[in-house]
Amino acid sequence: MNSSASFPKIFALLIPGIGGFLAILICSLLGDFSRVSLLMAPFGASCVIAFALPQSPLAQPRSLVGGHLLSTLVGLCTLSAFGVHAWSLALGVGAAITLMQLTRTLHPPAGADPLLVMLTGAGWGFLLTPVLLGAALLVLVALVYHRATRTHYPTAWW
């Protein structure tokens, strides 16, 4: 077995993980410093797409930021209008998927946002922090990281 040939392959597999590590670390540290939440669980899945699949339409800023904003808004509206029920949870996710497709902001991790909003009882401020500021920070970290690793990202801004 040629171990020197496998090292570059292993290193290439580490690059997306390092990007995700840095993105979450920066969001966490900046959030702690500013005393503002910049993280939510779906951002971990967003890092998989942004760092492992940077050329995917699902990883582009429009989808990452727009998908999270729209899906969170759907969750907030559904929670306000109907409360939390099995059918309203399902409605929130289904409506978020449909609206992301209609607006070309499809981002699979954002499909969890209505559930997160509704199950935690998040308020309208959740749309700004962690959603908008956190998603924008993820895109910024991805942009800098991919430039440093000479990976083309984004392929389209809007």
Side-chain angles (χ1 to χ4, degrees), residues 23-51:
I24 297 301
L25 179 67
I26 290 168
C27 285
S28 182
L29 292 174
L30 283 177
D32 288 349
F33 177 75
S34 64
R35 298 177 192 245
V36 173
S37 177
L38 297 174
L39 285 177
M40 60 180 188
F43 285 168
S46 293
C47 285
V48 173
I49 295 172
F51 291 97

Side-chain angles (χ1 to χ4, degrees), residues 13-99:
L13 294 174
L14 291 175
I15 291 174
I18 294 168
F21 168 84
L22 290 172
I24 297 301
L25 179 67
I26 290 168
C27 285
S28 182
L29 292 174
L30 283 177
D32 288 349
F33 177 75
S34 64
R35 298 177 192 245
V36 173
S37 177
L38 297 174
L39 285 177
M40 60 180 188
F43 285 168
S46 293
C47 285
V48 173
I49 295 172
F51 291 97
L53 302 166
Q55 280 77 41
S56 169
L58 306 172
Q60 303 313 304
R62 174 190 180 103
S63 293
L64 198 151
V65 176
H68 279 299
L69 277 175
L70 185 62
S71 295
T72 300
L73 183 60
V74 166
L76 289 165
C77 290
T78 305
L79 176 62
S80 294
F82 306 115
V84 180
H85 309 282
W87 63 268
S88 63
L89 292 164
L91 176 65
V93 171
I97 293 168
T98 300
L99 289 173

